[in-house]
Amino acid sequence: MAKTTLALKGGVMSTMSSAAPVIAEGLRKSYGAVNALDGVSLNLQPGEIYGLIGPDGAGKSSLLKIVAGVLAQDSGELTVFGTKIRNERDADAVKDRIGLMPQGLGQNLYADLSIEENIDYFGGLRLIPKNVLEQRKNLLLQATRLDRFRDRPMKNLSGGMKQKLGLVCTLIHEPRLVILDEPTTGVDPVSRREFWNILSRLLKEKQITALVSTAYMDEASRFHRVSLMHAGQVLASGVPSELRHLASGSMLSMNCEDPQQQLRIVNEVQPVFPQLEVLGNEVRIFSDVPAELAISQLSQMAACSGLAPATETDPELEDTFIALLRQKYGASAPSNHISQSHKIAGQSGMAIEARQLSRHFGEFKAVDRVSFQVPQGEIFGLLGANGAGKSTVIKMLTGILTPSDGAGWVAGADMRTAGLQIRERIGYMSQAFSLYLDLSVTENIRLYGGIYGLSESGIRDRMGWILDMAGLRPYANALTAGLPMGLRQRLALGCALIHRPSVLFLDEPTSGVDPLGRRAFWDVLFRLSREEKVTILVTTHYMSEAEHCDHIALMYAGRVVADASPEQLKQNVQSEAGQLLRISGADSARLAEVLQREGFASAAVFGPHVHVFVENASEAENIIRSKCDPGELIRISTQKLSMEDVFVHIVSQLEKQSQTPAQTAAVSTESV
């Protein structure tokens, strides 16, 4: 694969001063036959947040470890704070100016130590004088709102609290460069936004530079500059807003509310325009030709007749990333057409019904009178912060946990009395474990077929269907451990479907999957729901994935607090909170603090931008401009609401209304 690096204005600079925190040129690193880094170049400017964005296996962690001095490159040049890093002694010379937070919730912390004990331990490792440590500790605990939890053991913290504590321990010695490896993976959207706001403010106050990796494309707006990475190479580097328009072509949008019409559009249009996805009522199409020509082509297709013409819209960074992969390397998603000869038996009416479901653990109500309905063939999203009660609801519906009160039905079976009957009618794909990595693809399929009691002929029949559905025929005899994460997840999906269930439960199904793999995975789910009428209940922390759902129930502190389609939820929030504005060109950290003091409580930092809800846009603009420095070139634009905006607004309002001991205890219940 040829090396391709694209640099934009504001991206990779041709010359850098020796004061630059990091300058990397042509870094290479191999693990046996695998090239983790293939000629990667990078530079950081003082005080910026620089993002590395890409899937697992892109090389992000290897690059971060090399910069942090805990891994040696095979070749290439690395300079950190003016020191050329050629050996371990060179790396040791700059380590006191670097803070590293490894990947994984609380991976740099000690489970049995309290919050304060963890901080004291890291302060001792860094030989910080006790009086200085005490002062820094108090300031950081106040900034992260962990002050009142000082004595709580780390193992009892929520995911968001663990990451905030990890950040405190990383910053306790006031490094000049902080390196954060996927710090928000597995963290709910509210905690993610709070984490980024805290980080932006602390870095601004201390003039610290940050190098951050993430698999969430939507986090790009929080960085000043980014590098898109794939297979050990940098696809593109630059300012996020400019990178969105890097791929040649155009982004089109069509509105279609009829599910079967959506399916006809996908079947007819996708062979011509392969980069297509359905988000609620919107069909989004990336065209490699100019918009005018693409719109004309679409209008001539039978599946699009009767609909309003497609309109040109702005691509998201994920759209650009996928387009770059297709255009540069010919990468494409497999054809996931599901043969009608393998029809999965379905029911009519409601596939899932929860009626006043409750589950108590002692005095604590993990689930409190939850009710919702899911029609057959619908994609239903169950969203909520860590500890909201989502996993407990799923365990009750699948018969794993007995409810304290209430009732539920899945695929026509009463969850209280059906037992094995429910398990025969559902498929379940967990995030933690669903495949045997030391078995081949076909061996995993045979194993699951046997578990579900299929005959040998039944297994052969379903194996062919799974290999075609998941695009796995070329990998049939490959070990599962060697599959890319996207293919591995589609294999796990196939194994969950081998017995033709009518209801499918998916728990964080695309965690760690690259954007191309996620698109292919959701294309399969779309076809399963529309063609096969399989009902799908999914939990996810990727708020962009919530857009794929037909309906969403948002949980908070064990209760369902919102229940509607994604579009209706957005309309409800906009009616309540007002218009969302994006402010560019100002000192974002300072402006966000000023606006919060002026009563704009929703003001949040997104890298060089500030996002804020306002009731009256013109009045708010006057106030905003009056609070900016005279020399700042301010640009204020309206912003389309995302599902993350919806999630954060609803949960934040609920947190303000009440903060009971039960809700505080919810931080550790998701593992129940």
Side-chain angles (χ1 to χ4, degrees):
M1 185 180 293
K3 176 178 178 292
T4 302
T5 302
L6 303 173
L8 302 180
K9 184 178 77 173
V12 178
M13 299 178 64
S14 58
T15 59
M16 288 289 294
S17 85
S18 59
V22 178
I23 303 175
E25 296 180 2
L27 292 183
R28 297 181 184 277
K29 180 66 181 180
S30 298
Y31 302 101
V34 178
N35 290 325
L37 295 178
D38 187 11
V40 170
S41 296
L42 177 77
N43 61 69
L44 271 66
Q45 306 212 22
E48 74 174 338
I49 303 178
Y50 197 105
L52 303 176
I53 301 181
D56 284 354
K60 305 187 303 297
S61 293
S62 293
L63 179 56
L64 294 182
K65 290 175 182 176
I66 289 172
V67 173
V70 297
L71 184 69
Q73 70 268 29
D74 295 335
S75 62
E77 291 190 357
L78 174 66
T79 303
V80 179
F81 294 114
T83 300
K84 283 192 178 295
I85 309 300
R86 293 159 295 196
N87 50 47
E88 189 173 342
R89 185 175 61 182
D90 294 335
D92 288 341
V94 296
K95 280 185 179 177
D96 62 330
R97 284 172 277 179
I98 295 174
L100 172 64
M101 183 172 164
Q103 184 177 349
L105 295 177
Q107 287 300 301
N108 61 331
L109 304 175
Y110 293 86
D112 292 323
L113 297 184
S114 68
I115 285 178
E116 187 161 28
E117 288 169 340
N118 266 287
I119 299 171
D120 289 342
Y121 176 75
F122 277 85
L125 286 180
R126 294 290 185 172
L127 303 179
I128 302 172
K130 285 190 176 181
N131 61 327
V132 176
L133 173 60
E134 198 66 22
Q135 182 183 27
R136 291 180 185 174
K137 177 172 63 179
N138 290 335
L139 289 172
L140 288 169
L141 286 174
Q142 290 171 13
T144 54
R145 296 195 299 171
L146 292 174
D147 194 33
R148 61 195 180 100
F149 305 105
R150 286 172 180 253
D151 297 329
R152 180 173 294 183
M154 187 280 281
K155 62 185 177 185
N156 293 338
L157 302 179
S158 70
M161 294 174 74
K162 286 177 183 176
Q163 293 307 79
K164 287 194 288 185
L165 175 57
L167 180 62
V168 169
C169 293
T170 302
L171 294 173
I172 194 66
H173 65 293
E174 294 195 347
R176 308 313 306 155
L177 170 67
V178 292
I179 299 173
L180 311 176
D181 193 359
E182 299 198 9
T184 57
T185 295
V187 177
D188 68 81
V190 175
S191 298
R192 280 172 60 196
R193 184 167 290 193
E194 184 178 40
F195 179 91
W196 288 116
N197 286 340
I198 291 168
L199 179 65
S200 298
R201 185 171 69 252
L202 292 175
L203 297 190
K204 180 69 177 178
E205 291 173 357
K206 301 294 183 180
Q207 287 299 298
I208 298 172
T209 304
L211 178 60
V212 188
S213 72
T214 180
Y216 294 104
M217 286 280 166
D218 59 351
E219 288 192 335
S221 60
R222 304 187 182 279
F223 306 133
H224 296 93
R225 291 187 298 146
V226 301
S227 286
L228 301 181
M229 296 188 66
H230 178 74
Q233 297 183 330
V234 174
L235 292 179
S237 297
V239 179
S241 59
E242 296 178 356
L243 286 177
R244 293 176 186 225
H245 301 281
L246 183 59
S248 59
S250 53
M251 194 77 211
L252 306 177
S253 173
M254 301 177 65
N255 188 66
C256 180
E257 299 181 9
D258 179 24
Q260 291 307 307
Q261 177 78 348
Q262 291 175 352
L263 180 60
R264 287 192 290 272
I265 291 172
V266 171
N267 286 336
E268 184 175 351
V269 173
Q270 200 165 47
V272 181
F273 300 100
Q275 191 172 329
L276 179 152
E277 67 171 344
V278 179
L279 299 176
N281 295 336
E282 184 184 17
V283 181
R284 289 173 56 84
I285 302 163
F286 191 95
S287 166
D288 295 332
V289 301
E292 186 176 341
L293 177 58
I295 292 172
S296 175
Q297 288 179 272
L298 287 169
S299 65
Q300 297 172 26
M301 294 183 176
C304 301
S305 63
L307 298 177
T311 57
E312 187 173 12
T313 187
D314 289 330
E316 299 296 332
L317 190 62
E318 184 172 295
D319 299 318
T320 300
F321 184 86
I322 293 172
L324 285 173
L325 289 178
R326 289 191 303 103
Q327 293 172 1
K328 297 297 178 183
Y329 306 128
S332 62
S335 173
N336 292 315
H337 181 68
I338 300 172
S339 170
Q340 294 296 318
S341 63
H342 296 282
K343 189 78 172 177
I344 296 174
Q347 310 280 333
S348 59
M350 292 298 163
I352 304 173
E353 184 173 0
R355 190 179 298 172
Q356 297 290 301
L357 274 182
S358 296
R359 174 71 193 198
H360 306 160
F361 296 95
E363 295 297 317
F364 177 69
K365 295 182 179 180
V367 175
D368 186 12
R369 292 170 294 172
V370 163
S371 297
F372 59 82
Q373 294 181 325
V374 187
Q376 192 68 42
E378 183 174 270
I379 301 176
F380 186 88
L382 190 60
L383 307 182
N386 292 341
K390 306 184 300 297
S391 294
T392 306
V393 168
I394 290 176
K395 288 174 182 177
M396 286 191 288
L397 289 173
T398 54
I400 298 173
L401 277 178
T402 302
S404 304
D405 198 8
W409 294 265
V410 178
D414 188 326
M415 68 179 198
R416 281 184 174 271
T417 59
L420 183 62
Q421 189 180 20
I422 278 187
R423 295 185 181 94
E424 290 174 342
R425 298 181 185 183
I426 68 171
Y428 178 66
M429 180 177 161
S430 69
Q431 179 184 1
F433 171 79
S434 58
L435 295 173
Y436 292 86
L437 301 184
D438 55 347
L439 298 183
S440 70
V441 168
T442 55
E443 287 170 341
N444 265 290
I445 296 172
R446 287 186 178 279
L447 175 64
Y448 274 85
I451 289 172
Y452 282 108
L454 272 65
S455 65
E456 185 61 33
S457 61
I459 292 174
R460 284 197 304 270
D461 180 52
R462 294 301 288 168
M463 183 176 295
W465 181 85
I466 292 171
L467 294 176
D468 289 336
M469 178 275 296
L472 285 168
R473 281 206 178 272
Y475 307 93
N477 297 316
L479 281 180
T480 303
L483 294 178
M485 185 65 75
L487 290 178
R488 196 183 298 177
Q489 293 299 81
R490 293 208 295 275
L491 172 59
L493 176 64
C495 291
L497 291 168
I498 193 168
H499 58 302
R500 290 182 172 88
S502 59
V503 177
L504 183 62
F505 290 90
L506 305 176
D507 187 12
E508 301 279 343
T510 59
S511 181
V513 179
D514 66 82
L516 193 65
R518 284 207 302 271
R519 287 285 179 94
F521 188 89
W522 276 97
D523 186 48
V524 172
L525 298 186
F526 173 80
R527 292 177 182 278
L528 282 170
S529 69
R530 300 307 191 253
E531 290 183 0
E532 309 296 334
K533 300 302 180 185
V534 177
T535 303
I536 299 168
L537 188 150
V538 60
T539 69
T540 179
H541 277 154
Y542 289 98
M543 286 295 101
S544 60
E545 288 190 344
E547 308 276 2
H548 290 277
C549 299
D550 300 305
H551 205 90
I552 286 172
L554 175 58
M555 291 189 65
Y556 174 78
R559 297 177 289 116
V560 171
V561 295
D563 186 357
S565 69
E567 195 58 38
Q568 186 60 54
L569 287 174
K570 291 177 186 178
Q571 292 175 9
N572 294 345
V573 168
Q574 188 153 338
S575 298
E576 179 182 323
Q579 180 66 57
L580 182 64
L581 299 183
R582 183 170 99 163
I583 308 158
S584 307
D587 181 336
S588 57
R590 184 194 67 82
L591 180 59
E593 289 187 6
V594 171
L595 291 178
Q596 288 171 1
R597 288 198 299 267
E598 291 292 322
F600 295 93
S602 64
V605 176
F606 281 71
H609 314 290
V610 174
H611 288 193
V612 60
F613 280 108
V614 299
E615 294 182 4
N616 186 306
S618 58
E619 289 182 7
E621 183 170 346
N622 292 332
I623 296 174
I624 292 167
R625 291 190 182 279
S626 70
K627 300 301 177 182
C628 295
D629 293 336
E632 294 177 326
L633 299 176
I634 303 302
R635 298 181 303 281
I636 300 177
S637 58
T638 58
Q639 190 81 357
K640 184 179 178 181
L641 264 67
S642 67
M643 279 307 301
E644 180 179 311
D645 295 317
V646 170
F647 186 105
V648 171
H649 173 77
I650 293 174
V651 173
S652 297
Q653 291 300 110
L654 289 167
E655 287 179 343
K656 289 177 184 177
Q657 292 169 12
S658 62
Q659 191 64 277
T660 67
Q663 291 167 338
T664 302
V667 296
S668 61
T669 60
E670 191 70 12
S671 61
V672 174

